[in-house]
Amino acid sequence: MKELVMLAWQGLKQKPKLSALMVINLAVGITLMLTMSAIVKQSSSEVIGYKGDSLYTAGLNYFDVDEDVNDFRQFPRWTYQDAQALQQANLPYEYVSFNYTTEFIVGLADNSVRPISVEASGTDSGMFNVLDVPFIYGTAWNAQSEKSGEAIAVISKHANDHLFGGVDSVGQFIQVQGEQIRVAGVVDLTRYKRRFQDLSFSNNYNHDVFIPLNYAYAQNFPRTGQVTCRTDDLYTTISPRSGSIDMLKSAECGYLTVWFQYHNDIELAQLAELKAWLNNYIKQQQALGRFQHKNLTDFYSMGELYILIQRFMAWEAIYLTFSYLLFGICLVNTVGILLAKFQANRKLISLYRALGANQSVIMIIHFLEILMLTLAAVVLGFILAFAGLELMFHLRMYQTDYMAIAEQVRQIYQFDSELALVTTLGIFLAVGLSGLYPVYRSSRVSPASELRG
């Protein structure tokens, strides 16, 4: 076998330019295929897939009849009055949680560090159970703090690193809009590729501060997530993003996202109770002139949402398809390069045949030669794929003026070892099959015609 490997190596050195051309040709196809496959896989993977069938979100459609609602992205968020009715219904579930997205400047009272602009969440303590958030320090606020609207917060590791140097900051105070807010806990959200709690599924940022809803209402923190009103005139009149929260509470403007978590063993029964209550609630409200749309309710499990997200990743799916097509073109080019290379080595092949090498030995030598070339192409492709993912990561960060959280963005553009292994096996198989014809052609060279004279 050692002699066959040496002969294959000699064959590689016969036409180094053709060998280099094949390696580069394959490496380009491998690079694009690995890069786009990794991005699409990471982008579409579920944040907490183990809750795919137990975590649900729902919506109530108070829009006018002529308002088009085609998918969950257009479905309105919950209004304050509907959210209050749900909370008072005493329905069975493991957890229920409401939240809305806001933003503000956060710093320290002594100005010892540079204040930062953060996206935050006005929510309840149930959110931390829904998210399964790992606490680094402290815990969530208690029911009494939530009910009273205490100035208390849970901050992210990202905010804690900036404001407090990463040390335990529980009991310390952050300053927001001139108010002192006590830190109850610090959570690490870096393992979440996307911010799903507000249905934005953004992978640039996650929420850096979580505050009780009642405190957010008392301070009238703006609503910066999805906010819609029944009519455009109503939206203009009450200015639901930054206007008075008291006016918003009584208006048909939605801004709250709701999550239900059910026990796996009784999930269907509990979900049926929720749907029955909603149907009865809608009938009661219809008597008051509300809920006239044909699409009145919207239910999605976490698993269903991620299926929808994959459908919305149109550009990524297109690029992935093109990467596979390009790799196919590279394979066709590989066949042509191998034919040209083996054709140029006809005299060397004839010499091997004249010295007693049979057809099977010639085929083995050429397959070993293809194996070496493919291995070199795979190594080069992996290096280029690493570089390509790093480049795309920096391009994404540049698009956000480097304001995005690097740890979160990085997860979308990280090299996937498992995917690389499967891809490598597929590449060797594809190149091996593509090389069958050139190898077969080269093994049938007639020594007499090539060595005559």
Side-chain angles (χ1 to χ4, degrees), residues 38 48 52 58 64 88 134 136 141 182 195 254 259 273 293 299 307 313 410 417 438:
I48 46 177
D64 288 337
Q88 295 167 10
I136 304 174
W141 54 78
R182 181 171 61 86
R195 187 180 74 218
W259 288 99
E273 286 192 52
H293 204 282
F299 283 92
I307 292 174
M313 290 163 45
R410 173 76 68 181
S417 301

Side-chain angles (χ1 to χ4, degrees), residues 191-392:
R191 70 185 176 99
Y192 296 126
K193 296 183 181 72
R194 293 184 179 274
R195 187 180 74 218
F196 72 87
Q197 59 264 30
D198 61 353
L199 294 179
S200 68
F201 294 95
S202 167
N203 72 306
N204 291 335
Y205 313 93
N206 216 313
H207 290 151
D208 279 317
V209 180
F210 296 84
I211 50 178
L213 271 171
N214 286 339
Y215 180 73
Y217 291 150
Q219 298 299 314
N220 198 30
F221 287 131
R223 280 65 59 185
T224 58
Q226 179 176 323
V227 180
T228 50
C229 293
R230 181 172 181 176
T231 64
D232 292 339
D233 290 340
L234 179 60
Y235 187 95
T236 303
T237 301
I238 71 169
S239 185
R241 292 194 179 276
S242 58
S244 168
I245 188 64
D246 293 328
M247 188 179 295
L248 181 60
K249 285 180 178 180
S250 60
E252 282 200 270
C253 293
Y255 62 99
L256 289 164
T257 303
V258 63
W259 288 99
F260 305 92
Q261 183 172 319
Y262 294 103
H263 296 279
N264 287 326
D265 52 342
I266 53 175
E267 163 203 339
L268 295 179
Q270 292 182 334
L271 192 59
E273 286 192 52
L274 171 63
K275 291 181 178 180
W277 178 86
L278 286 175
N279 288 333
N280 290 330
Y281 178 71
I282 287 172
K283 289 179 181 178
Q284 295 172 8
Q285 294 297 306
Q286 283 177 331
L288 302 176
R290 300 183 67 208
F291 298 124
Q292 302 301 316
H293 204 282
K294 59 181 179 180
N295 299 327
L296 291 173
T297 59
D298 199 35
F299 283 92
Y300 289 102
S301 68
M302 176 61 79
E304 291 170 333
L305 284 176
Y306 269 92
I307 292 174
L308 293 174
I309 289 171
Q310 293 179 40
R311 295 176 184 171
F312 297 142
M313 290 163 45
W315 72 269
E316 292 175 326
I318 291 172
Y319 286 159
L320 179 61
T321 301
F322 274 117
S323 70
Y324 282 117
L325 290 174
L326 181 60
F327 181 71
I329 294 172
C330 291
L331 284 179
V332 173
N333 290 339
T334 297
V335 173
I337 294 171
L338 288 174
L339 282 172
K341 181 175 175 56
F342 293 155
Q343 183 72 21
N345 287 345
R346 289 174 66 90
K347 288 189 179 298
L348 181 62
I349 296 170
S350 299
L351 180 60
Y352 291 159
R353 292 294 305 276
L355 292 175
N358 58 30
Q359 189 172 349
S360 62
V361 171
I362 298 299
M363 293 182 69
I364 292 173
I365 292 173
H366 284 153
F367 267 118
L368 287 172
E369 189 174 338
I370 292 174
L371 182 65
M372 293 177 185
L373 289 169
T374 305
L375 181 60
V378 168
V379 172
L380 179 59
F382 278 20
I383 294 172
L384 293 176
F386 268 114
L389 288 168
E390 187 68 18
L391 175 62
M392 295 187 75

